[in-house]
Amino acid sequence: MDYPEEFQREGKLEYYRAGIQSTREVGFIALKSLITLNSGAFVVLLTFSGNTAAQSQFIVPLENLKFAMYCFLAGLAAVFLSIVQTYVSSRAATPYEGTDDRPEWRLAVLSVLLPAIPFFAFLLGVMAVVWGVKAA
């Protein structure tokens, strides 16, 4: 069955909109999770350092705690940079006629790599604390 060209065009645009919507929702969930991981780790680390000084048989050197906090803060900053970059790349791609429907390859690479930074910053911060644990 052959549909009119206008109908096919509208169908493609609707398919594009649905794909963008689902991608956006998954992206928001991922970014919210990264914000929660890094900010929660920062708060937990502050609580941990306050409680362990008086009640624990283990200590963590101050250098390890500071490095972990810097990692968590860098992770939070990278999440917000990722949000900005996502906005910029979404403005570069559009399915409408007369424009290129593919974002520039550098924006696509940034869209994948930039959100990975907060996750690895979280892992690095946690490992810095774990490796620094010593018996008192």
Side-chain angles (χ1 to χ4, degrees), residues 48-135:
F48 170 77
S49 63
N51 287 338
T52 58
Q55 302 171 353
S56 180
Q57 300 172 4
F58 301 100
I59 59 169
V60 178
L62 183 60
E63 296 81 27
N64 290 60
L65 291 175
K66 286 171 56 176
F67 180 74
M69 287 183 181
Y70 287 136
C71 286
F72 299 144
L73 287 175
L76 285 171
V79 167
F80 292 110
L81 285 175
S82 177
I83 292 170
V84 169
Q85 187 278 328
T86 302
Y87 175 76
V88 169
S89 66
S90 71
R91 302 305 299 162
T94 178
Y96 298 106
E97 294 175 13
T99 60
D100 186 13
D101 64 345
R102 292 169 290 145
E104 192 176 343
W105 70 269
R106 289 177 287 224
L107 292 176
V109 170
L110 275 176
S111 295
V112 173
L113 294 181
L114 197 55
I117 293 171
F119 179 70
F120 290 116
F122 171 76
L123 289 179
L124 187 61
V126 169
M127 287 188 292
V129 172
V130 171
W131 286 335
V133 173
K134 298 177 185 174

